[in-house]
Amino acid sequence: MPLARPARAAALLAAGSLLLTGCGGTASSDAEAAVTLTNCGHEVRVAAPPQHAVSLNQGTTEILLSLGLADRLAGTATWTDPVMKGLEKADAKVPRLADNNPSFERVLDTEPDFVAASFVSTLGKGGVATREQFEKLGVPTYVSPSDCAGKDNSGGGDGARDKALGIDTVYGEVRDLATVFGVKKRGDALVASLQQRMKKATAGIDASDVTLLYWFANSESPYLAGCCGAPGIITRALGAKNVFDDTHEEWPQINWETVADRDPDVLVIGDLTRKSQTAESAAKKIAFLESNPVTRTMDAVRHKRYVLLSGQAMNPTIRTVEGVEQVAAGLRRFGPVK
């Protein structure tokens, strides 16, 4: 991982010293107090609301944009989808450091006063840099609690959960970030809006006799959702069943013969715009499903029971609520599937 140039590192150390003594910020007086919180096993102390933050993943970026903080973002990175509807103008104000992980030096070049990420791996070994590397330079860091609460990220792949993730953990992230940035009322309003959308999406729906499968990416060895991540939030909200509820891995790679054997009623398909895996877009996924001899005879494929979701809706983010809305709409559209 590239290291900061000595002069830049010294500048950040100086900036960090100022930050930790409580300097800076244009927030209101009640937002000036230092904030300390425990996040994924780290104590995070922010002396004043960040004014030059970097968000290293789309999920955290969209929360910050939804809180009206575009003017306080120095950069963003790692996108799988177009920005959430309604945030296009705000997003256009924020420099895109990289479509995937930027280098540590590239992030330091923005002189950040706070760094947020959606995944432990982004701020870990093999990612942009470790949290400790940033913190040594006086830059506080934050990782989405949904990627560490009840989750083991020590093995390979995308980790495994020993308990199901709840949407309240996502709401907690919104409140955390709103508190750090001194806009607590905006955070409360955003959470209330998301809660209302969840209530409306699930009203009167009973999908207890419906089985679902979630396919994120890759046609040769597909990444399919296990029981307990963001797809689990969607599934439980609708009362349905994930055909791979028997695995606690976040996104296990499962062969198509096993998928066909379980024959789900509805296929929830990731419609991604990134280009790091095969079959990223929904169109390519559907073309594969309808031409592959193993999958084309599946009931959901023969009846074209597809629900298309953004990659962000299939990750634990505020767009998971969008996922609940879209899967619910699909189930209503399909009607009884047995």
Side-chain angles (χ1 to χ4, degrees), residues 100-128:
N100 296 303
N101 279 347
S103 68
F104 185 32
E105 186 172 39
R106 180 71 182 91
V107 178
L108 295 184
D109 280 343
T110 71
E111 300 184 1
D113 56 6
F114 183 80
V115 172
S118 298
F119 304 107
V120 171
S121 60
T122 304
L123 285 174
K125 292 181 179 179
V128 174

Side-chain angles (χ1 to χ4, degrees), residues 36 119 197 208 315:
T36 301
F119 304 107
R197 287 171 57 190
S208 56
N315 281 324

